[in-house]
Amino acid sequence: MTAAQPIAIRPATVADAPALLAVFIRSITELAPPFYAPPQVTAWASALTAERALALITDHTTYVAVRTDVAGAHVVGFATFAEPDVFDMLYVDPDAVQQGVGRALAAVVEQHARTVGVRQLQATVSDCARLAFESFGFRHERPHTRILDGHEFSVTVMTLHLR
Ligand SMILES: CC(C)(COP(=O)(O)OP(=O)(O)OC[C@H]1O[C@@H](n2cnc3c(N)ncnc32)[C@H](O)[C@@H]1OP(=O)(O)O)[C@@H](O)C(=O)NCCC(=O)NCCS
């Protein structure tokens, strides 16, 4: 077995929009089924369109994780910070999970939030990502129900105090 190639984190550009959409769909379709029912997974995976993926890059602060191998450079994850204080999205390609990609993206979002003066970072976290956010130091605030296309999702409102 060869070791995973190192990843680089950089700000997303508009050219990354199709890759963001692909990672979002693959991540939810393959990683969410143990936590949510099939209709919920379908509704969630349909929530991002090409237009909205582009808007994530133009309207928010979005970072991509890029891995380079013999086939070239590919986006394997992304994370988004939404003004004023929200860690809004974190998605990693199923082929790249549990290799530190999510943690590296979270660290960059946290650093960006500090830079713009955020004292307490907010996140509404899916059941699939709760352990990861706990390991990033986020604290549970309250359970919450998110409604997407008529489907209810149990999620957790979490916060991270930034020093
Ligand atoms: C949540 C997610 C972003 C984590 O990405 P990742 O690249 O696997 O995360 P990392 O490898 O950096 O792991 C970070 C921590 O998460 C935890 N973790 C990640 N996957 C886990 C799993 N399957 N089981 C248990 N813990 C897990 C570990 O505690 C790990 O800490 P460690 O390195 O000290 O062991 C990824 O699983 C994902 O995209 N999930 C589906 C989409 C989603 O729910 N996004 C969030 C929406 S709010």
Side-chain angles (χ1 to χ4, degrees), residues 85-88 118 120-144 146 154-161:
D85 58 3
V86 180
F87 186 169
D88 190 32
V118 174
Q120 185 144 291
L121 192 56
Q122 315 285 327
T124 301
V125 177
S126 75
D127 289 353
C128 341
R130 206 172 53 229
L131 285 173
F133 275 76
E134 280 173 9
S135 87
F136 305 153
F138 278 74
R139 193 178 69 187
H140 288 225
E141 295 296 342
R142 60 186 177 281
H144 180 65
R146 182 171 259 177
S154 62
V155 292
T156 306
V157 175
M158 302 181 81
T159 56
L160 177 68
H161 182 71

PDB file of all heavy atoms in Angstrom, residues 85-88 118 120-144 146 154-161:
ATOM      1  N   ASP A  85     -20.076  34.632  11.312  1.00  0.00           N
ATOM      2  CA  ASP A  85     -19.349  33.769  12.255  1.00  0.00           C
ATOM      3  C   ASP A  85     -19.664  32.277  12.089  1.00  0.00           C
ATOM      4  O   ASP A  85     -19.611  31.528  13.058  1.00  0.00           O
ATOM      5  CB  ASP A  85     -19.668  34.186  13.697  1.00  0.00           C
ATOM      6  CG  ASP A  85     -21.160  34.122  14.003  1.00  0.00           C
ATOM      7  OD1 ASP A  85     -21.936  33.706  13.126  1.00  0.00           O
ATOM      8  OD2 ASP A  85     -21.546  34.503  15.139  1.00  0.00           O
ATOM      9  N   VAL A  86     -20.020  31.853  10.868  1.00  0.00           N
ATOM     10  CA  VAL A  86     -20.517  30.485  10.691  1.00  0.00           C
ATOM     11  C   VAL A  86     -19.541  29.612   9.896  1.00  0.00           C
ATOM     12  O   VAL A  86     -19.142  29.962   8.778  1.00  0.00           O
ATOM     13  CB  VAL A  86     -21.896  30.491   9.976  1.00  0.00           C
ATOM     14  CG1 VAL A  86     -22.415  29.076   9.785  1.00  0.00           C
ATOM     15  CG2 VAL A  86     -22.893  31.322  10.777  1.00  0.00           C
ATOM     16  N   PHE A  87     -19.178  28.492  10.497  1.00  0.00           N
ATOM     17  CA  PHE A  87     -18.461  27.434   9.764  1.00  0.00           C
ATOM     18  C   PHE A  87     -19.575  26.652   9.079  1.00  0.00           C
ATOM     19  O   PHE A  87     -20.233  25.822   9.684  1.00  0.00           O
ATOM     20  CB  PHE A  87     -17.691  26.579  10.766  1.00  0.00           C
ATOM     21  CG  PHE A  87     -16.784  25.540  10.155  1.00  0.00           C
ATOM     22  CD1 PHE A  87     -15.876  24.873  10.963  1.00  0.00           C
ATOM     23  CD2 PHE A  87     -16.799  25.230   8.798  1.00  0.00           C
ATOM     24  CE1 PHE A  87     -15.018  23.909  10.441  1.00  0.00           C
ATOM     25  CE2 PHE A  87     -15.954  24.281   8.258  1.00  0.00           C
ATOM     26  CZ  PHE A  87     -15.069  23.616   9.083  1.00  0.00           C
ATOM     27  N   ASP A  88     -19.774  26.928   7.796  1.00  0.00           N
ATOM     28  CA  ASP A  88     -21.024  26.545   7.147  1.00  0.00           C
ATOM     29  C   ASP A  88     -20.981  25.151   6.526  1.00  0.00           C
ATOM     30  O   ASP A  88     -21.937  24.394   6.619  1.00  0.00           O
ATOM     31  CB  ASP A  88     -21.341  27.603   6.077  1.00  0.00           C
ATOM     32  CG  ASP A  88     -22.726  27.442   5.517  1.00  0.00           C
ATOM     33  OD1 ASP A  88     -23.620  26.999   6.259  1.00  0.00           O
ATOM     34  OD2 ASP A  88     -22.916  27.741   4.334  1.00  0.00           O
ATOM     35  N   VAL A 118     -13.707  36.832  14.776  1.00  0.00           N
ATOM     36  CA  VAL A 118     -14.747  35.993  15.391  1.00  0.00           C
ATOM     37  C   VAL A 118     -14.228  35.460  16.725  1.00  0.00           C
ATOM     38  O   VAL A 118     -13.103  34.964  16.809  1.00  0.00           O
ATOM     39  CB  VAL A 118     -15.124  34.820  14.446  1.00  0.00           C
ATOM     40  CG1 VAL A 118     -16.096  33.869  15.132  1.00  0.00           C
ATOM     41  CG2 VAL A 118     -15.717  35.352  13.140  1.00  0.00           C
ATOM     42  N   GLN A 120     -16.510  33.429  18.678  1.00  0.00           N
ATOM     43  CA  GLN A 120     -17.196  32.136  18.837  1.00  0.00           C
ATOM     44  C   GLN A 120     -17.720  31.680  17.479  1.00  0.00           C
ATOM     45  O   GLN A 120     -18.604  32.311  16.915  1.00  0.00           O
ATOM     46  CB  GLN A 120     -18.338  32.268  19.834  1.00  0.00           C
ATOM     47  CG  GLN A 120     -18.995  30.951  20.110  1.00  0.00           C
ATOM     48  CD  GLN A 120     -19.433  30.849  21.563  1.00  0.00           C
ATOM     49  OE1 GLN A 120     -18.611  30.770  22.464  1.00  0.00           O
ATOM     50  NE2 GLN A 120     -20.717  30.862  21.778  1.00  0.00           N
ATOM     51  N   LEU A 121     -17.153  30.595  16.995  1.00  0.00           N
ATOM     52  CA  LEU A 121     -17.529  30.075  15.684  1.00  0.00           C
ATOM     53  C   LEU A 121     -18.745  29.159  15.833  1.00  0.00           C
ATOM     54  O   LEU A 121     -18.782  28.317  16.737  1.00  0.00           O
ATOM     55  CB  LEU A 121     -16.326  29.292  15.137  1.00  0.00           C
ATOM     56  CG  LEU A 121     -16.301  28.865  13.681  1.00  0.00           C
ATOM     57  CD1 LEU A 121     -16.461  30.050  12.731  1.00  0.00           C
ATOM     58  CD2 LEU A 121     -14.956  28.156  13.393  1.00  0.00           C
ATOM     59  N   GLN A 122     -19.735  29.338  14.945  1.00  0.00           N
ATOM     60  CA  GLN A 122     -20.984  28.574  15.015  1.00  0.00           C
ATOM     61  C   GLN A 122     -20.991  27.497  13.934  1.00  0.00           C
ATOM     62  O   GLN A 122     -20.545  27.753  12.813  1.00  0.00           O
ATOM     63  CB  GLN A 122     -22.192  29.487  14.736  1.00  0.00           C
ATOM     64  CG  GLN A 122     -22.178  30.822  15.437  1.00  0.00           C
ATOM     65  CD  GLN A 122     -22.501  30.696  16.907  1.00  0.00           C
ATOM     66  OE1 GLN A 122     -23.273  29.830  17.298  1.00  0.00           O
ATOM     67  NE2 GLN A 122     -21.896  31.541  17.722  1.00  0.00           N
ATOM     68  N   ALA A 123     -21.578  26.343  14.239  1.00  0.00           N
ATOM     69  CA  ALA A 123     -21.749  25.308  13.210  1.00  0.00           C
ATOM     70  C   ALA A 123     -23.008  24.508  13.526  1.00  0.00           C
ATOM     71  O   ALA A 123     -23.301  24.234  14.691  1.00  0.00           O
ATOM     72  CB  ALA A 123     -20.540  24.378  13.171  1.00  0.00           C
ATOM     73  N   THR A 124     -23.747  24.184  12.499  1.00  0.00           N
ATOM     74  CA  THR A 124     -24.902  23.282  12.650  1.00  0.00           C
ATOM     75  C   THR A 124     -24.494  21.987  11.971  1.00  0.00           C
ATOM     76  O   THR A 124     -24.326  21.944  10.754  1.00  0.00           O
ATOM     77  CB  THR A 124     -26.158  23.900  12.010  1.00  0.00           C
ATOM     78  OG1 THR A 124     -26.398  25.153  12.653  1.00  0.00           O
ATOM     79  CG2 THR A 124     -27.371  23.004  12.195  1.00  0.00           C
ATOM     80  N   VAL A 125     -24.298  20.961  12.775  1.00  0.00           N
ATOM     81  CA  VAL A 125     -23.505  19.807  12.343  1.00  0.00           C
ATOM     82  C   VAL A 125     -24.370  18.561  12.159  1.00  0.00           C
ATOM     83  O   VAL A 125     -25.187  18.217  13.031  1.00  0.00           O
ATOM     84  CB  VAL A 125     -22.390  19.550  13.395  1.00  0.00           C
ATOM     85  CG1 VAL A 125     -21.584  18.324  13.046  1.00  0.00           C
ATOM     86  CG2 VAL A 125     -21.490  20.778  13.514  1.00  0.00           C
ATOM     87  N   SER A 126     -24.179  17.891  11.050  1.00  0.00           N
ATOM     88  CA  SER A 126     -24.911  16.648  10.774  1.00  0.00           C
ATOM     89  C   SER A 126     -24.454  15.542  11.725  1.00  0.00           C
ATOM     90  O   SER A 126     -23.354  15.606  12.304  1.00  0.00           O
ATOM     91  CB  SER A 126     -24.638  16.203   9.335  1.00  0.00           C
ATOM     92  OG  SER A 126     -23.341  15.656   9.257  1.00  0.00           O
ATOM     93  N   ASP A 127     -25.284  14.517  11.851  1.00  0.00           N
ATOM     94  CA  ASP A 127     -24.898  13.382  12.696  1.00  0.00           C
ATOM     95  C   ASP A 127     -23.615  12.724  12.173  1.00  0.00           C
ATOM     96  O   ASP A 127     -22.833  12.171  12.943  1.00  0.00           O
ATOM     97  CB  ASP A 127     -26.035  12.353  12.757  1.00  0.00           C
ATOM     98  CG  ASP A 127     -27.224  12.859  13.569  1.00  0.00           C
ATOM     99  OD1 ASP A 127     -27.109  13.940  14.196  1.00  0.00           O
ATOM    100  OD2 ASP A 127     -28.277  12.195  13.559  1.00  0.00           O
ATOM    101  N   CYS A 128     -23.405  12.769  10.847  1.00  0.00           N
ATOM    102  CA  CYS A 128     -22.197  12.143  10.271  1.00  0.00           C
ATOM    103  C   CYS A 128     -20.919  12.864  10.678  1.00  0.00           C
ATOM    104  O   CYS A 128     -19.839  12.272  10.602  1.00  0.00           O
ATOM    105  CB  CYS A 128     -22.187  12.144   8.749  1.00  0.00           C
ATOM    106  SG  CYS A 128     -23.679  12.367   7.886  1.00  0.00           S
ATOM    107  N   ALA A 129     -21.038  14.138  11.019  1.00  0.00           N
ATOM    108  CA  ALA A 129     -19.833  14.936  11.237  1.00  0.00           C
ATOM    109  C   ALA A 129     -19.625  15.296  12.705  1.00  0.00           C
ATOM    110  O   ALA A 129     -18.655  15.960  13.044  1.00  0.00           O
ATOM    111  CB  ALA A 129     -19.924  16.216  10.407  1.00  0.00           C
ATOM    112  N   ARG A 130     -20.534  14.841  13.577  1.00  0.00           N
ATOM    113  CA  ARG A 130     -20.471  15.291  14.967  1.00  0.00           C
ATOM    114  C   ARG A 130     -19.156  14.881  15.639  1.00  0.00           C
ATOM    115  O   ARG A 130     -18.520  15.679  16.318  1.00  0.00           O
ATOM    116  CB  ARG A 130     -21.670  14.764  15.748  1.00  0.00           C
ATOM    117  CG  ARG A 130     -21.992  15.655  16.918  1.00  0.00           C
ATOM    118  CD  ARG A 130     -23.278  15.262  17.596  1.00  0.00           C
ATOM    119  NE  ARG A 130     -23.270  13.865  17.949  1.00  0.00           N
ATOM    120  CZ  ARG A 130     -24.263  13.005  17.672  1.00  0.00           C
ATOM    121  NH1 ARG A 130     -25.341  13.419  17.046  1.00  0.00           N
ATOM    122  NH2 ARG A 130     -24.179  11.745  18.019  1.00  0.00           N
ATOM    123  N   LEU A 131     -18.723  13.640  15.438  1.00  0.00           N
ATOM    124  CA  LEU A 131     -17.474  13.199  16.075  1.00  0.00           C
ATOM    125  C   LEU A 131     -16.291  14.021  15.576  1.00  0.00           C
ATOM    126  O   LEU A 131     -15.383  14.356  16.332  1.00  0.00           O
ATOM    127  CB  LEU A 131     -17.224  11.711  15.801  1.00  0.00           C
ATOM    128  CG  LEU A 131     -18.091  10.729  16.580  1.00  0.00           C
ATOM    129  CD1 LEU A 131     -17.843   9.306  16.085  1.00  0.00           C
ATOM    130  CD2 LEU A 131     -17.798  10.837  18.077  1.00  0.00           C
ATOM    131  N   ALA A 132     -16.315  14.322  14.289  1.00  0.00           N
ATOM    132  CA  ALA A 132     -15.215  15.120  13.734  1.00  0.00           C
ATOM    133  C   ALA A 132     -15.203  16.513  14.368  1.00  0.00           C
ATOM    134  O   ALA A 132     -14.152  16.987  14.826  1.00  0.00           O
ATOM    135  CB  ALA A 132     -15.344  15.219  12.218  1.00  0.00           C
ATOM    136  N   PHE A 133     -16.370  17.172  14.457  1.00  0.00           N
ATOM    137  CA  PHE A 133     -16.410  18.515  15.052  1.00  0.00           C
ATOM    138  C   PHE A 133     -16.038  18.460  16.531  1.00  0.00           C
ATOM    139  O   PHE A 133     -15.377  19.370  17.038  1.00  0.00           O
ATOM    140  CB  PHE A 133     -17.779  19.174  14.823  1.00  0.00           C
ATOM    141  CG  PHE A 133     -17.862  19.873  13.481  1.00  0.00           C
ATOM    142  CD1 PHE A 133     -18.028  19.142  12.310  1.00  0.00           C
ATOM    143  CD2 PHE A 133     -17.753  21.246  13.381  1.00  0.00           C
ATOM    144  CE1 PHE A 133     -18.089  19.768  11.062  1.00  0.00           C
ATOM    145  CE2 PHE A 133     -17.811  21.885  12.144  1.00  0.00           C
ATOM    146  CZ  PHE A 133     -17.983  21.147  10.984  1.00  0.00           C
ATOM    147  N   GLU A 134     -16.448  17.405  17.223  1.00  0.00           N
ATOM    148  CA  GLU A 134     -16.016  17.258  18.626  1.00  0.00           C
ATOM    149  C   GLU A 134     -14.491  17.215  18.683  1.00  0.00           C
ATOM    150  O   GLU A 134     -13.863  17.841  19.526  1.00  0.00           O
ATOM    151  CB  GLU A 134     -16.573  15.972  19.228  1.00  0.00           C
ATOM    152  CG  GLU A 134     -18.008  16.077  19.680  1.00  0.00           C
ATOM    153  CD  GLU A 134     -18.555  14.724  20.121  1.00  0.00           C
ATOM    154  OE1 GLU A 134     -17.788  13.747  20.241  1.00  0.00           O
ATOM    155  OE2 GLU A 134     -19.782  14.650  20.326  1.00  0.00           O
ATOM    156  N   SER A 135     -13.905  16.445  17.763  1.00  0.00           N
ATOM    157  CA  SER A 135     -12.445  16.312  17.809  1.00  0.00           C
ATOM    158  C   SER A 135     -11.749  17.610  17.426  1.00  0.00           C
ATOM    159  O   SER A 135     -10.592  17.827  17.777  1.00  0.00           O
ATOM    160  CB  SER A 135     -11.969  15.154  16.937  1.00  0.00           C
ATOM    161  OG  SER A 135     -11.777  15.580  15.627  1.00  0.00           O
ATOM    162  N   PHE A 136     -12.471  18.527  16.733  1.00  0.00           N
ATOM    163  CA  PHE A 136     -11.891  19.852  16.426  1.00  0.00           C
ATOM    164  C   PHE A 136     -12.046  20.794  17.625  1.00  0.00           C
ATOM    165  O   PHE A 136     -11.631  21.942  17.572  1.00  0.00           O
ATOM    166  CB  PHE A 136     -12.585  20.507  15.222  1.00  0.00           C
ATOM    167  CG  PHE A 136     -12.608  19.689  13.947  1.00  0.00           C
ATOM    168  CD1 PHE A 136     -13.617  19.875  13.008  1.00  0.00           C
ATOM    169  CD2 PHE A 136     -11.634  18.744  13.670  1.00  0.00           C
ATOM    170  CE1 PHE A 136     -13.655  19.137  11.826  1.00  0.00           C
ATOM    171  CE2 PHE A 136     -11.664  17.997  12.498  1.00  0.00           C
ATOM    172  CZ  PHE A 136     -12.679  18.188  11.576  1.00  0.00           C
ATOM    173  N   GLY A 137     -12.736  20.325  18.671  1.00  0.00           N
ATOM    174  CA  GLY A 137     -12.890  21.144  19.875  1.00  0.00           C
ATOM    175  C   GLY A 137     -14.237  21.822  20.007  1.00  0.00           C
ATOM    176  O   GLY A 137     -14.456  22.590  20.949  1.00  0.00           O
ATOM    177  N   PHE A 138     -15.163  21.570  19.073  1.00  0.00           N
ATOM    178  CA  PHE A 138     -16.494  22.188  19.163  1.00  0.00           C
ATOM    179  C   PHE A 138     -17.277  21.592  20.326  1.00  0.00           C
ATOM    180  O   PHE A 138     -17.169  20.403  20.615  1.00  0.00           O
ATOM    181  CB  PHE A 138     -17.268  21.971  17.857  1.00  0.00           C
ATOM    182  CG  PHE A 138     -16.931  22.948  16.764  1.00  0.00           C
ATOM    183  CD1 PHE A 138     -15.727  22.848  16.070  1.00  0.00           C
ATOM    184  CD2 PHE A 138     -17.796  23.977  16.430  1.00  0.00           C
ATOM    185  CE1 PHE A 138     -15.397  23.744  15.067  1.00  0.00           C
ATOM    186  CE2 PHE A 138     -17.480  24.879  15.430  1.00  0.00           C
ATOM    187  CZ  PHE A 138     -16.284  24.763  14.735  1.00  0.00           C
ATOM    188  N   ARG A 139     -18.103  22.444  20.945  1.00  0.00           N
ATOM    189  CA  ARG A 139     -18.926  22.052  22.085  1.00  0.00           C
ATOM    190  C   ARG A 139     -20.383  21.957  21.637  1.00  0.00           C
ATOM    191  O   ARG A 139     -20.859  22.775  20.848  1.00  0.00           O
ATOM    192  CB  ARG A 139     -18.787  23.155  23.136  1.00  0.00           C
ATOM    193  CG  ARG A 139     -19.302  22.824  24.482  1.00  0.00           C
ATOM    194  CD  ARG A 139     -19.043  23.994  25.416  1.00  0.00           C
ATOM    195  NE  ARG A 139     -19.890  25.130  25.050  1.00  0.00           N
ATOM    196  CZ  ARG A 139     -19.804  26.329  25.597  1.00  0.00           C
ATOM    197  NH1 ARG A 139     -18.885  26.577  26.489  1.00  0.00           N
ATOM    198  NH2 ARG A 139     -20.619  27.295  25.247  1.00  0.00           N
ATOM    199  N   HIS A 140     -21.106  20.960  22.160  1.00  0.00           N
ATOM    200  CA  HIS A 140     -22.539  20.835  21.858  1.00  0.00           C
ATOM    201  C   HIS A 140     -23.292  21.972  22.517  1.00  0.00           C
ATOM    202  O   HIS A 140     -23.122  22.191  23.712  1.00  0.00           O
ATOM    203  CB  HIS A 140     -23.104  19.538  22.444  1.00  0.00           C
ATOM    204  CG  HIS A 140     -22.647  18.326  21.726  1.00  0.00           C
ATOM    205  ND1 HIS A 140     -23.500  17.318  21.379  1.00  0.00           N
ATOM    206  CD2 HIS A 140     -21.432  17.948  21.267  1.00  0.00           C
ATOM    207  CE1 HIS A 140     -22.817  16.374  20.752  1.00  0.00           C
ATOM    208  NE2 HIS A 140     -21.568  16.728  20.680  1.00  0.00           N
ATOM    209  N   GLU A 141     -24.130  22.673  21.769  1.00  0.00           N
ATOM    210  CA  GLU A 141     -25.014  23.682  22.368  1.00  0.00           C
ATOM    211  C   GLU A 141     -26.425  23.122  22.526  1.00  0.00           C
ATOM    212  O   GLU A 141     -26.976  23.139  23.597  1.00  0.00           O
ATOM    213  CB  GLU A 141     -25.044  24.954  21.525  1.00  0.00           C
ATOM    214  CG  GLU A 141     -23.706  25.676  21.473  1.00  0.00           C
ATOM    215  CD  GLU A 141     -23.242  26.199  22.842  1.00  0.00           C
ATOM    216  OE1 GLU A 141     -24.059  26.318  23.768  1.00  0.00           O
ATOM    217  OE2 GLU A 141     -22.025  26.468  22.984  1.00  0.00           O
ATOM    218  N   ARG A 142     -26.984  22.602  21.416  1.00  0.00           N
ATOM    219  CA  ARG A 142     -28.352  22.042  21.500  1.00  0.00           C
ATOM    220  C   ARG A 142     -28.639  21.207  20.272  1.00  0.00           C
ATOM    221  O   ARG A 142     -28.120  21.476  19.185  1.00  0.00           O
ATOM    222  CB  ARG A 142     -29.392  23.155  21.628  1.00  0.00           C
ATOM    223  CG  ARG A 142     -29.397  24.119  20.473  1.00  0.00           C
ATOM    224  CD  ARG A 142     -30.345  25.307  20.679  1.00  0.00           C
ATOM    225  NE  ARG A 142     -30.238  26.216  19.536  1.00  0.00           N
ATOM    226  CZ  ARG A 142     -29.270  27.094  19.364  1.00  0.00           C
ATOM    227  NH1 ARG A 142     -28.306  27.201  20.265  1.00  0.00           N
ATOM    228  NH2 ARG A 142     -29.231  27.859  18.301  1.00  0.00           N
ATOM    229  N   PRO A 143     -29.537  20.204  20.416  1.00  0.00           N
ATOM    230  CA  PRO A 143     -30.004  19.480  19.237  1.00  0.00           C
ATOM    231  C   PRO A 143     -30.933  20.391  18.434  1.00  0.00           C
ATOM    232  O   PRO A 143     -31.557  21.299  18.995  1.00  0.00           O
ATOM    233  CB  PRO A 143     -30.773  18.288  19.811  1.00  0.00           C
ATOM    234  CG  PRO A 143     -31.084  18.649  21.210  1.00  0.00           C
ATOM    235  CD  PRO A 143     -30.124  19.698  21.665  1.00  0.00           C
ATOM    236  N   HIS A 144     -31.007  20.148  17.147  1.00  0.00           N
ATOM    237  CA  HIS A 144     -31.804  21.010  16.286  1.00  0.00           C
ATOM    238  C   HIS A 144     -32.374  20.143  15.165  1.00  0.00           C
ATOM    239  O   HIS A 144     -31.816  19.084  14.847  1.00  0.00           O
ATOM    240  CB  HIS A 144     -30.894  22.113  15.724  1.00  0.00           C
ATOM    241  CG  HIS A 144     -31.565  23.079  14.812  1.00  0.00           C
ATOM    242  ND1 HIS A 144     -32.560  23.930  15.233  1.00  0.00           N
ATOM    243  CD2 HIS A 144     -31.373  23.340  13.488  1.00  0.00           C
ATOM    244  CE1 HIS A 144     -32.965  24.671  14.206  1.00  0.00           C
ATOM    245  NE2 HIS A 144     -32.259  24.329  13.133  1.00  0.00           N
ATOM    246  N   ARG A 146     -33.329  20.325  11.193  1.00  0.00           N
ATOM    247  CA  ARG A 146     -33.226  21.113   9.958  1.00  0.00           C
ATOM    248  C   ARG A 146     -34.201  20.515   8.957  1.00  0.00           C
ATOM    249  O   ARG A 146     -34.309  19.283   8.861  1.00  0.00           O
ATOM    250  CB  ARG A 146     -31.791  21.045   9.445  1.00  0.00           C
ATOM    251  CG  ARG A 146     -31.536  21.853   8.220  1.00  0.00           C
ATOM    252  CD  ARG A 146     -30.045  21.896   7.914  1.00  0.00           C
ATOM    253  NE  ARG A 146     -29.458  23.156   8.358  1.00  0.00           N
ATOM    254  CZ  ARG A 146     -28.164  23.437   8.270  1.00  0.00           C
ATOM    255  NH1 ARG A 146     -27.327  22.548   7.792  1.00  0.00           N
ATOM    256  NH2 ARG A 146     -27.707  24.612   8.657  1.00  0.00           N
ATOM    257  N   SER A 154     -32.057  15.456  11.994  1.00  0.00           N
ATOM    258  CA  SER A 154     -31.531  15.789  13.312  1.00  0.00           C
ATOM    259  C   SER A 154     -30.089  16.261  13.124  1.00  0.00           C
ATOM    260  O   SER A 154     -29.279  15.595  12.455  1.00  0.00           O
ATOM    261  CB  SER A 154     -31.589  14.571  14.231  1.00  0.00           C
ATOM    262  OG  SER A 154     -30.796  13.539  13.708  1.00  0.00           O
ATOM    263  N   VAL A 155     -29.791  17.415  13.687  1.00  0.00           N
ATOM    264  CA  VAL A 155     -28.452  17.993  13.614  1.00  0.00           C
ATOM    265  C   VAL A 155     -28.126  18.555  15.000  1.00  0.00           C
ATOM    266  O   VAL A 155     -28.989  18.549  15.888  1.00  0.00           O
ATOM    267  CB  VAL A 155     -28.372  19.108  12.536  1.00  0.00           C
ATOM    268  CG1 VAL A 155     -28.521  18.532  11.142  1.00  0.00           C
ATOM    269  CG2 VAL A 155     -29.424  20.190  12.779  1.00  0.00           C
ATOM    270  N   THR A 156     -26.916  19.032  15.181  1.00  0.00           N
ATOM    271  CA  THR A 156     -26.509  19.581  16.469  1.00  0.00           C
ATOM    272  C   THR A 156     -25.895  20.958  16.260  1.00  0.00           C
ATOM    273  O   THR A 156     -25.003  21.111  15.419  1.00  0.00           O
ATOM    274  CB  THR A 156     -25.462  18.659  17.150  1.00  0.00           C
ATOM    275  OG1 THR A 156     -26.007  17.336  17.224  1.00  0.00           O
ATOM    276  CG2 THR A 156     -25.122  19.146  18.544  1.00  0.00           C
ATOM    277  N   VAL A 157     -26.386  21.929  17.024  1.00  0.00           N
ATOM    278  CA  VAL A 157     -25.767  23.254  16.996  1.00  0.00           C
ATOM    279  C   VAL A 157     -24.539  23.177  17.902  1.00  0.00           C
ATOM    280  O   VAL A 157     -24.628  22.750  19.055  1.00  0.00           O
ATOM    281  CB  VAL A 157     -26.746  24.332  17.485  1.00  0.00           C
ATOM    282  CG1 VAL A 157     -26.054  25.692  17.569  1.00  0.00           C
ATOM    283  CG2 VAL A 157     -27.954  24.400  16.543  1.00  0.00           C
ATOM    284  N   MET A 158     -23.379  23.544  17.342  1.00  0.00           N
ATOM    285  CA  MET A 158     -22.122  23.441  18.081  1.00  0.00           C
ATOM    286  C   MET A 158     -21.359  24.762  17.971  1.00  0.00           C
ATOM    287  O   MET A 158     -21.547  25.514  17.011  1.00  0.00           O
ATOM    288  CB  MET A 158     -21.258  22.284  17.522  1.00  0.00           C
ATOM    289  CG  MET A 158     -21.973  20.943  17.582  1.00  0.00           C
ATOM    290  SD  MET A 158     -20.994  19.542  16.955  1.00  0.00           S
ATOM    291  CE  MET A 158     -19.957  19.155  18.368  1.00  0.00           C
ATOM    292  N   THR A 159     -20.537  25.029  18.962  1.00  0.00           N
ATOM    293  CA  THR A 159     -19.745  26.264  18.918  1.00  0.00           C
ATOM    294  C   THR A 159     -18.291  25.964  19.310  1.00  0.00           C
ATOM    295  O   THR A 159     -18.011  25.009  20.035  1.00  0.00           O
ATOM    296  CB  THR A 159     -20.283  27.334  19.898  1.00  0.00           C
ATOM    297  OG1 THR A 159     -20.315  26.769  21.212  1.00  0.00           O
ATOM    298  CG2 THR A 159     -21.674  27.809  19.492  1.00  0.00           C
ATOM    299  N   LEU A 160     -17.409  26.805  18.811  1.00  0.00           N
ATOM    300  CA  LEU A 160     -15.987  26.716  19.180  1.00  0.00           C
ATOM    301  C   LEU A 160     -15.528  28.090  19.616  1.00  0.00           C
ATOM    302  O   LEU A 160     -15.630  29.068  18.850  1.00  0.00           O
ATOM    303  CB  LEU A 160     -15.163  26.248  17.971  1.00  0.00           C
ATOM    304  CG  LEU A 160     -13.654  26.176  18.198  1.00  0.00           C
ATOM    305  CD1 LEU A 160     -13.314  25.060  19.192  1.00  0.00           C
ATOM    306  CD2 LEU A 160     -12.914  25.951  16.889  1.00  0.00           C
ATOM    307  N   HIS A 161     -15.053  28.164  20.840  1.00  0.00           N
ATOM    308  CA  HIS A 161     -14.501  29.430  21.325  1.00  0.00           C
ATOM    309  C   HIS A 161     -13.105  29.603  20.725  1.00  0.00           C
ATOM    310  O   HIS A 161     -12.267  28.711  20.830  1.00  0.00           O
ATOM    311  CB  HIS A 161     -14.442  29.405  22.860  1.00  0.00           C
ATOM    312  CG  HIS A 161     -13.937  30.676  23.424  1.00  0.00           C
ATOM    313  ND1 HIS A 161     -14.661  31.837  23.401  1.00  0.00           N
ATOM    314  CD2 HIS A 161     -12.752  30.977  23.999  1.00  0.00           C
ATOM    315  CE1 HIS A 161     -13.955  32.818  23.950  1.00  0.00           C
ATOM    316  NE2 HIS A 161     -12.786  32.304  24.316  1.00  0.00           N
TER     317      HIS A 161
END
